[in-house]
Amino acid sequence: MDKKLWDASGDAEFDRLLECGLPGPPPDEVARAVTPWRRPMERLIWGLALTGVTLRFAGLQYWLPAAGVLLCLLAFRMMRRENVWLRAGWVLSGAYAGATLALLILNAFLWRASDIGQAVTAALTVLCRVAQLGQLVCLWRGLGRVRRAAGMPEGTGAGWLVVWYAGLYGLALARYNGLLVPLAMIGLYGLLLANLYRLGRGMENAGYALHPAPARLSDRALSGLLAGILAMGLAAGYAFGGRLPMDWQPAASPEDPQAAAVRKELAALGFPEGVLADLTDEEVLACRGARRLVVSERDLELPDAYEPGGQGTLRSTGVAVELPGERERWTLFQHFQWTGPALWWGTECLQLWPVYDLLPEGWAAEGGVSGRLLCERDGQTLTAPYWYLGEQSYTSRSVFWGEEERRDVFAAFSLPRNAQNRRGYLTYTVEEVSDGWIVDSWLNYIHQTGAFQYPVCSALETCQTGNTGMGSAFCLVQDALQFYPNDDPLLPFGAE
């Protein structure tokens, strides 16, 4: 070829013309295809952002971190063939995703509040934290090896993410309640994620090729599979895991002739017939020789708990029976009866504020609190003990009183859906300590108004947290048996 025909300046002109003929930067999906580091790094950064900073309202504290865990899983899935560290990160991200999925499903079952359920929840939570920190260690070491293979400095700055999470766990264990340190941590976290983004762009520019691992399921199919498992688990929890196990048995008919005679005596004193019929022979015999009694009856409306046009009332009946003896002794019965159909039968709870707790200077307990549940089904009377009946200590939180350590009597239960005339009662006996004190006994009834709540809580848990206001799946009504024992005639406090 004749050297005179070759013009070196023409090469530059040709390159310029070729560049001018290009249409511009390629679309993002094309860019991701030819720069394969961009997609996993974007997923990783978004995943870390969603799992690192949570928003505690409208359930976002559960679903946004879950989305972040899924994004981290998909990111490590693409990078797992690069080196042993990223492969270990993929395994840990799988364990993290599995434990998170199990926790989300477990939150739809009341079983999680049992001793075994709490142990399982604690173990899954520890697994999540260990896997989360472990995958960050693997990311730090794995990206360092990738940079070294690309001929770049091994330092990535990803190790500081490990330090950041370790500091976050330390604050949680120390129960830090300040605001300044968390705000500084959030700002630092943003800088660390920005540094990770620059790291990914640097590897793109270095031209290091990612070798995506072959997979039987596409990312979309894997995400759909996990979402389907979650949906089925939540559906199973709402359908089968939202009620307390109860032992309903046919009620025994009263047979003791002495108890029958005492029933007549109590009825003559004005004991309400319906309540009296629900008492056991032993409870009736304990009232033998009754001197007088006090009766208080009210119909209480539970808000938003009933079908339109339904009667929608809970009848609360309090009965106090004065027992024979040198000192004032009273047996109190606090009875409830549903008089209308509820939209939902989930969990119920009675919270008792007994007179000996409210007024310990005037009254002392004589024995414990007892009671039972009753209903009618297929023409037969059924009875069951409460699922739980006893005292529990808890921390009460109030806008007016702040945090307060309390210990109250609770009765937790579920009522059958296919039954009628659902009812029950609590009873206990008190003895006078000093004269002149009022009898003041309160009964709070907590009813579940709907199935949809997350995480699923029982009426007992809700009562202790005080979450029975607007927007809650539970409502609360109250009644009290109040009277002065020295009044004659005896009337409930406030009655005319």
Side-chain angles (χ1 to χ4, degrees), residues 150-364:
M152 304 172 66
E154 187 172 343
T156 64
W160 288 107
L161 285 171
V162 180
V163 177
W164 188 90
Y165 270 94
L168 185 66
Y169 296 159
L171 290 176
L173 291 174
R175 297 184 178 182
Y176 180 80
N177 293 322
L179 186 61
L180 182 60
V181 173
L183 289 177
M185 292 284 287
I186 292 174
L188 178 60
Y189 195 61
L191 294 176
L192 293 174
L193 293 182
N195 177 70
L196 193 61
Y197 177 77
R198 288 193 296 269
L199 173 67
R201 296 302 296 268
M203 287 188 293
E204 286 181 26
N205 297 332
Y208 183 84
L210 176 69
H211 305 89
R216 295 182 180 180
L217 290 177
S218 65
D219 290 346
R220 181 173 298 179
L222 178 60
S223 301
L225 175 63
L226 295 177
I229 294 173
L230 176 60
M232 289 188 293
L234 295 179
Y238 285 120
F240 309 110
R243 292 173 55 80
L244 298 172
M246 304 294 296
D247 183 22
W248 293 97
Q249 300 293 334
S253 300
E255 297 179 352
D256 191 325
Q258 295 183 4
V262 177
R263 288 180 191 272
K264 291 182 180 180
E265 295 174 3
L266 294 174
L269 290 173
F271 205 115
E273 181 180 348
V275 178
L276 185 58
D278 287 342
L279 305 184
T280 65
D281 282 347
E282 292 77 9
E283 291 165 343
V284 170
L285 288 172
C287 296
R288 181 185 295 157
R291 295 175 175 175
R292 51 181 179 165
L293 55 83
V294 179
V295 179
S296 172
E297 186 175 281
R298 294 182 179 87
D299 287 336
L300 309 172
E301 294 187 0
L302 282 81
D304 302 325
Y306 300 94
E307 298 174 351
Q311 293 302 308
T313 53
L314 184 74
R315 181 163 297 157
S316 175
T317 305
V319 182
V321 180
E322 184 182 11
L323 304 178
E326 296 182 0
R327 301 187 64 85
E328 290 268 1
R329 293 172 61 244
W330 293 83
T331 293
L332 278 61
F333 299 91
Q334 294 193 257
H335 183 278
F336 70 88
Q337 179 183 19
W338 285 87
T339 58
L343 285 176
W344 181 255
W345 297 107
T347 62
E348 321 285 323
C349 181
L350 300 176
Q351 181 184 30
L352 180 68
W353 294 337
V355 60
Y356 56 78
D357 276 349
L358 294 178
L359 302 169
E361 302 88 350
W363 301 97

Side-chain angles (χ1 to χ4, degrees), residues 48-237:
L48 293 175
L50 292 175
T51 55
V53 181
T54 57
L55 303 175
R56 293 189 173 275
F57 66 92
L60 295 180
Q61 66 268 35
Y62 303 104
W63 308 116
L64 289 184
V69 170
L70 176 60
L71 288 173
C72 289
L73 174 68
L74 297 178
F76 277 103
R77 187 171 184 246
M78 294 184 66
M79 299 185 296
R80 69 183 187 274
R81 289 188 62 183
E82 294 305 305
N83 55 58
V84 66
W85 283 104
L86 294 179
R87 191 176 305 117
W90 151 247
V91 173
L92 289 172
S93 66
Y96 189 13
T100 300
L101 182 63
L103 283 172
L104 291 174
I105 293 175
L106 190 59
N107 280 342
F109 289 82
L110 282 179
W111 177 77
R112 69 181 179 83
S114 66
D115 292 340
I116 298 177
Q118 290 180 357
V120 171
T121 300
L124 289 173
T125 302
V126 170
L127 176 58
C128 283
R129 301 287 79 83
V130 171
Q132 184 182 34
L133 196 61
Q135 75 175 9
L136 289 173
V137 173
C138 293
L139 176 67
W140 165 39
R141 303 300 297 163
L143 291 183
R145 286 199 176 187
V146 168
R147 287 176 62 86
R148 184 172 60 186
M152 304 172 66
E154 187 172 343
T156 64
W160 288 107
L161 285 171
V162 180
V163 177
W164 188 90
Y165 270 94
L168 185 66
Y169 296 159
L171 290 176
L173 291 174
R175 297 184 178 182
Y176 180 80
N177 293 322
L179 186 61
L180 182 60
V181 173
L183 289 177
M185 292 284 287
I186 292 174
L188 178 60
Y189 195 61
L191 294 176
L192 293 174
L193 293 182
N195 177 70
L196 193 61
Y197 177 77
R198 288 193 296 269
L199 173 67
R201 296 302 296 268
M203 287 188 293
E204 286 181 26
N205 297 332
Y208 183 84
L210 176 69
H211 305 89
R216 295 182 180 180
L217 290 177
S218 65
D219 290 346
R220 181 173 298 179
L222 178 60
S223 301
L225 175 63
L226 295 177
I229 294 173
L230 176 60
M232 289 188 293
L234 295 179

